[in-house]
Amino acid sequence: MERIFKRKLYNRLLEWKETQNGKTAIMIEGARRVGKSTLVEQFAQNEYESYIIIDFNEASEEVKSLFNDLMNKDYIFLQLQSIYNVVLKERKSVIIFDEVQNCPLARQAIKYLVKDGRYDYIETGSLISIRKNTKNITLPSEEERVTLYPMDYEEFRWALGDDASVSLLRMFYDKKLPLDKAHRDKIRDFRLYMLVGGMPQAVNTYIETNNFSLVDNAKRNIIKLYLDDFQKLDPTGRLETLFKEIPSQLSQTSNRFKPYSVLGDIDENKLFELMKNLEDSKTTLFSYHSNDPKVGMSLTKDISKYKIFCADTGLFVTLAFWDKDVTENIIYQKLLNDKLSANLGYIYENIIAQMLVSTGNKLFYYTWAKDETHNYEIDFLLSRGAKLYPIEVKSSGYNSHASLDAFCEKFSHIIDKRYLIYTKDLKKDEQTILLPVYMTSFI
């Protein structure tokens, strides 16, 4: 049975419907299999008297051709109602363009359909800004865009029937209180989320079977779908190679993704296009180096220096063990119990990137020379008004936070709060807040 999970973006759709009242369409972007179609269909069922979903992955040429000529909208709406056997009601119905990137003319039509004003319009799309899909069309300005990310930790707990944990954790965070004896259970619960991830199919498989091998299989199928998409975009295979290399690049000590070491000699413009496609696919998260954090990170970001994370840490874990046919239950059990000997710092870095992005942050990091052979590194830098929150990540306990201390000394006038995120309980170490990883999204 495929469950329908509660998603926070539902409330954002509700707000759009109530405030815009048909004046704009809304586009939900996100990686494939992240739950876009399920969310919009659930929303349409609950909030409208009737709806039509046009899935452009499988829509007939007859349906697609309706958007070639918009002169007679009455004809278009009559045809859609008869093809989909649905009666549309003025201002009480919604038309959904699912996977709209497969019919660029339908996306262009949004401008005129919104102006017509009879119905509401919701679009969903993956790999949205691929140039070949939009180069000959005018993108509608009457379109709000939102992103659906993999299920966050709270949505994951909701899926498991736990409505209380995350709001209780927030109370501890707000009061800066340690959890004491409860911490051990909470970190184990959180590691489960790291392993299963937030892709609805994987979560559903976990709930139904409680079997990590089957969960891993569900995640492999999603990754194979992504690799097929990358293959279609770039038949040379370089795009899928870049994606598959994310775990090994993160596990190395160098403080950025090195595309030339992955692909060898490649034209700079071609590389830029591949990276843009990778970022646009929403399967990845890019963190850019800020060359001068005191000026404002977006202004000083270095687009040639970046780290790449997987948008879903559950998929990241499967990708990290891709060479095995199925990531055995034993690896999952060891990961769950924190018994795997490999340095898993990079898995924690990935989950923190995922959590920060899902709460609306852009990702930046900063490195500078410590001496001739070593660098200091701040893993994540968040801007809060004119101030900065530097974050250092430790996958195990903590002994020191030298980079954090050096950074806070160097930029003392713009530091507000400073965090070390790790796997132990909440505590304070002079100026530094030592934060258990499961509280990351509260920062």
Side-chain angles (χ1 to χ4, degrees):
M1 172 184 103
E2 197 66 47
R3 290 168 179 76
I4 293 188
F5 298 119
K6 182 177 161 191
R7 306 298 296 269
K8 293 176 181 176
L9 201 66
Y10 191 102
N11 290 341
R12 174 71 180 84
L13 292 178
L14 213 48
E15 179 198 319
W16 160 78
K17 179 179 187 281
E18 287 163 5
T19 57
Q20 292 299 317
N21 195 25
K23 292 189 193 70
T24 62
I26 195 162
M27 153 80 84
I28 299 170
E29 297 180 302
R32 287 182 65 187
R33 296 295 164 91
V34 84
K36 301 184 299 293
S37 305
T38 307
L39 172 66
V40 295
E41 181 154 19
Q42 182 196 13
F43 183 75
Q45 278 172 356
N46 294 348
E47 309 299 336
Y48 293 90
E49 287 187 20
S50 68
Y51 64 94
I52 288 174
I53 293 188
I54 305 171
D55 180 350
F56 285 112
N57 273 340
E58 49 188 38
S60 65
E61 283 310 313
E62 179 192 6
V63 169
K64 289 181 179 176
S65 68
L66 290 173
F67 300 100
N68 294 347
D69 180 357
L70 303 173
M71 284 301 286
N72 189 346
K73 295 181 195 61
D74 291 343
Y75 173 77
I76 295 172
F77 295 137
L78 273 173
Q79 288 293 319
L80 287 174
Q81 289 174 95
S82 71
I83 292 167
Y84 288 94
N85 200 23
V86 170
V87 175
L88 294 173
K89 300 176 182 178
E90 204 161 311
R91 298 301 324 125
K92 292 178 178 171
S93 298
V94 61
I95 299 176
I96 295 164
F97 291 172
D98 202 10
E99 301 294 352
V100 72
Q101 75 278 358
N102 293 322
C103 186
L105 286 174
R107 187 161 181 215
Q108 181 171 269
I110 282 291
K111 178 182 180 69
Y112 306 98
L113 297 173
V114 166
K115 192 176 173 188
D116 171 78
R118 273 177 260 189
Y119 313 113
D120 280 358
Y121 296 90
I122 300 175
E123 304 161 89
T124 78
S126 325
L127 290 165
I128 233 47
S129 57
I130 302 307
R131 280 183 284 286
K132 67 178 182 189
N133 270 351
T134 53
K135 66 181 176 194
N136 296 322
I137 69 163
T138 311
L139 293 183
S141 54
E142 298 69 11
E143 177 186 271
E144 291 182 35
R145 289 201 209 176
V146 293
T147 301
L148 183 65
Y149 293 106
M151 294 160 76
D152 70 15
Y153 184 47
E154 188 166 22
E155 290 171 327
F156 178 75
R157 295 308 307 173
W158 289 343
L160 300 189
D162 168 14
D163 290 342
S165 275
V166 175
S167 42
L168 286 169
L169 288 177
R170 182 178 273 286
M171 288 162 70
F172 277 91
Y173 171 82
D174 289 341
K175 295 187 165 94
K176 299 293 178 281
L177 291 171
L179 273 83
D180 293 331
K181 291 186 174 60
H183 167 76
R184 200 171 149 213
D185 285 343
K186 293 302 175 206
I187 196 75
R188 189 184 157 90
D189 286 348
F190 185 78
R191 278 201 297 267
L192 175 66
Y193 170 59
M194 288 169 68
L195 298 178
V196 175
M199 301 304 278
Q201 271 173 305
V203 176
N204 194 56
T205 304
Y206 174 74
I207 292 168
E208 282 196 348
T209 67
N210 213 12
N211 180 313
F212 283 130
S213 291
L214 294 175
V215 172
D216 193 70
N217 205 33
K219 291 191 291 174
R220 278 172 188 267
N221 288 336
I222 295 170
I223 291 171
K224 283 172 187 159
L225 189 73
Y226 292 171
L227 298 179
D228 286 348
D229 283 349
F230 293 145
Q231 188 66 38
K232 284 177 203 146
L233 281 171
D234 174 51
T236 68
R238 289 179 293 194
L239 197 52
E240 61 179 292
T241 302
L242 287 168
F243 181 74
K244 283 162 82 170
E245 282 296 310
I246 291 173
S248 72
Q249 288 279 315
L250 267 184
S251 68
Q252 290 166 19
T253 49
S254 71
N255 46 38
R256 60 189 165 117
F257 193 99
K258 295 191 166 162
Y260 293 103
S261 74
V262 175
L263 298 177
D265 196 24
I266 178 172
D267 173 69
E268 202 173 316
N269 290 335
K270 182 63 188 168
L271 179 63
F272 182 76
E273 186 190 329
L274 289 172
M275 287 303 175
K276 191 84 190 89
N277 285 348
L278 198 56
E279 195 170 12
D280 288 342
S281 72
K282 305 285 185 188
T283 61
T284 61
L285 305 171
F286 276 60
S287 178
Y288 287 97
H289 190 274
S290 170
N291 289 343
D292 186 3
K294 67 178 182 288
V295 175
M297 293 176 294
S298 294
L299 298 172
T300 64
K301 82 174 183 185
D302 184 340
I303 60 166
S304 68
K305 281 174 81 173
Y306 43 79
K307 293 180 180 185
I308 308 179
F309 302 98
C310 286
D312 180 73
T313 304
L315 295 183
F316 179 88
V317 169
T318 295
L319 204 55
F321 297 104
W322 191 251
D323 54 335
K324 300 182 182 303
D325 284 343
V326 163
T327 312
E328 293 93 339
N329 260 327
I330 184 117
I331 291 177
Y332 276 90
Q333 290 298 347
K334 284 186 167 180
L335 275 167
L336 189 60
N337 297 314
D338 211 16
K339 296 278 191 290
L340 203 62
S341 56
N343 170 20
L344 293 176
Y346 60 102
I347 298 183
Y348 283 95
E349 213 177 320
N350 200 97
I351 191 77
I352 288 161
Q354 182 182 340
M355 292 171 88
L356 291 174
V357 166
S358 73
T359 49
N361 295 287
K362 289 190 163 44
L363 299 180
F364 296 98
Y365 71 105
Y366 182 65
T367 58
W368 72 107
K370 179 179 181 182
D371 52 44
E372 283 177 14
T373 50
H374 300 94
N375 279 338
Y376 284 123
E377 177 172 358
I378 295 298
D379 296 309
F380 298 102
L381 270 178
L382 307 184
S383 64
R384 294 288 183 267
K387 297 285 188 181
L388 291 180
Y389 287 7
I391 295 172
E392 195 173 334
V393 177
K394 299 267 188 197
S395 59
S396 53
Y398 110 98
N399 299 316
S400 67
H401 32 81
S403 290
L404 202 54
D405 295 341
F407 181 85
C408 292
E409 201 177 313
K410 185 176 166 76
F411 295 103
S412 56
H413 61 294
I414 51 166
I415 304 296
D416 185 358
K417 297 186 175 119
R418 58 183 78 173
Y419 293 92
L420 181 132
I421 299 179
Y422 70 155
T423 56
K424 299 284 189 276
D425 203 354
L426 190 148
K427 66 176 177 181
K428 239 184 146 199
D429 177 19
E430 294 176 6
Q431 305 302 116
T432 306
I433 300 164
L434 309 182
L435 200 66
V437 60
Y438 47 74
M439 289 186 179
T440 302
S441 54
F442 306 145
I443 295 175

